[in-house]
Amino acid sequence: MGAVIINTSLNAGQKILRKSQSSSEVDGLVTLVETYVIRRQDAASLEPDRNTSHSSFSTATTKYKRMLVETTRVEPLDGDLAELIVTYVGLDYASGLPPAYITVVGQPGVGVFGADASVLVKYINQDSLFDTLKGSTLNLAIGGSNLVLPTKRLMPATINGTAMPPNPRQREYRRNQVAQLVNSGLSQYIPSGVLAGFGPSIEWLYAGYVQTGISFARRGSFNQVEEQFTEYFKGTDGFYTSDGIVDIRLVQGFATGKNYTF
């Protein structure tokens, strides 16, 4: 049974902090719950707006500038009193971000050169919505020129200081020798008609782990992010089995093309 406050006289607009509880999630985000006793008639004026800072509202001795109000609740008590329950989210230290939390989710068929599993990362950041959702670019050195291709977000080497798993093999782009010759600039020395209409017939692109899923929610002044990264392989039809799975034997045996790293 909760404690009953008897003969407590509160001035108008006054709030008394009764208890404070905090908890942390695996990504490091902290939830702080403070319970105040107030006069019931003051609830409307005392209840803080969402995203009000802890440092400006709380009466606790320690103030947290990076914690903001997320939810509030008012519960009547005996007499003319009520409890004002305020939940804050954020970080209870002044600077920096907590390390990312990494797990692996088994998914049959998604592995190319590594295990049949996707890497799942939970972390928080303060990036803008655009920066959280934007993709990446691949830089391919082909025929003496640099080709920049837009792509999905590649898995970074680190997230919030936490080292991410390395790609099972080097990111690379391969193609057949005829395609290399056409794109190298040497085709001008080949009699007309010889290579006409002869495009790259065997090629593949391996980008390592790329983002295949993302979900996030704005919590206070932070984004709570969950990202999934899976190996990406794209090749011509000859590299796949009849059920659409990459034929590793054929890929590993394809050694006629020059290796372009990016």
Side-chain angles (χ1 to χ4, degrees):
M1 178 182 292
V4 178
I5 299 177
I6 302 175
N7 296 327
T8 298
S9 177
L10 292 178
N11 297 324
Q14 185 180 5
K15 59 182 186 287
I16 298 176
L17 180 61
R18 287 189 61 197
K19 63 180 179 179
S20 178
Q21 299 171 295
S22 66
S23 61
S24 298
E25 301 184 40
V26 294
D27 56 17
L29 193 71
V30 177
T31 300
L32 174 66
V33 181
E34 292 183 340
T35 302
Y36 292 89
V37 176
I38 62 173
R39 299 194 315 167
R40 193 178 304 179
Q41 59 266 41
D42 290 336
S45 59
L46 286 179
E47 193 170 7
D49 294 331
R50 186 172 180 269
N51 290 333
T52 299
S53 68
H54 177 271
S55 58
S56 65
F57 180 80
S58 177
T59 61
T61 302
T62 304
K63 310 290 187 180
Y64 302 116
K65 294 183 178 180
R66 296 207 293 173
M67 301 201 75
L68 304 181
V69 173
E70 185 172 52
T71 62
T72 60
R73 187 172 79 252
V74 176
E75 295 183 355
L77 294 173
D78 293 342
D80 197 31
L81 301 176
E83 281 187 335
L84 172 59
I85 303 168
V86 183
T87 301
Y88 309 84
V89 293
L91 296 177
D92 54 4
Y93 46 91
S95 62
L97 292 171
Y101 178 78
I102 305 174
T103 56
V104 175
V105 180
Q107 294 183 321
V110 304
V112 180
F113 296 104
D116 282 355
S118 293
V119 177
L120 191 65
V121 190
K122 299 180 180 180
Y123 63 97
I124 65 174
N125 66 25
Q126 289 185 289
D127 295 342
S128 68
L129 175 63
F130 172 78
D131 287 336
T132 300
L133 294 178
K134 71 180 181 181
S136 300
T137 58
L138 299 181
N139 296 288
L140 303 181
I142 298 177
S145 61
N146 188 48
L147 178 63
V148 180
L149 301 175
T151 183
K152 287 190 174 185
R153 171 171 147 86
L154 302 175
M155 185 166 71
T158 62
I159 295 180
N160 289 359
T162 302
M164 302 300 294
N167 289 317
R169 67 175 291 160
Q170 188 175 4
R171 301 186 189 127
E172 56 190 341
Y173 173 76
R174 290 193 180 193
R175 55 187 175 169
N176 68 340
Q177 290 178 327
V178 173
Q180 291 172 16
L181 187 60
V182 169
N183 290 282
S184 67
L186 297 177
S187 58
Q188 58 181 311
Y189 304 108
I190 301 175
S192 60
V194 174
L195 296 179
F198 203 109
S201 59
I202 302 175
E203 62 180 350
W204 57 268
L205 172 69
Y206 175 72
Y209 284 113
V210 302
Q211 182 196 84
T212 52
I214 182 172
S215 63
F216 67 95
R218 188 70 174 177
R219 305 286 305 279
S221 60
F222 298 92
N223 298 315
Q224 190 170 36
V225 185
E226 183 175 299
E227 270 190 287
Q228 179 175 289
F229 296 94
T230 307
E231 279 187 276
Y232 177 84
F233 177 91
K234 182 67 176 178
T236 48
D237 292 342
F239 289 117
Y240 299 92
T241 61
S242 58
D243 58 0
I245 302 300
V246 178
D247 189 325
I248 299 300
R249 180 184 59 83
L250 293 176
V251 173
Q252 296 284 26
F254 178 49
T256 59
K258 182 178 179 182
N259 181 34
Y260 293 100
T261 60
F262 54 90

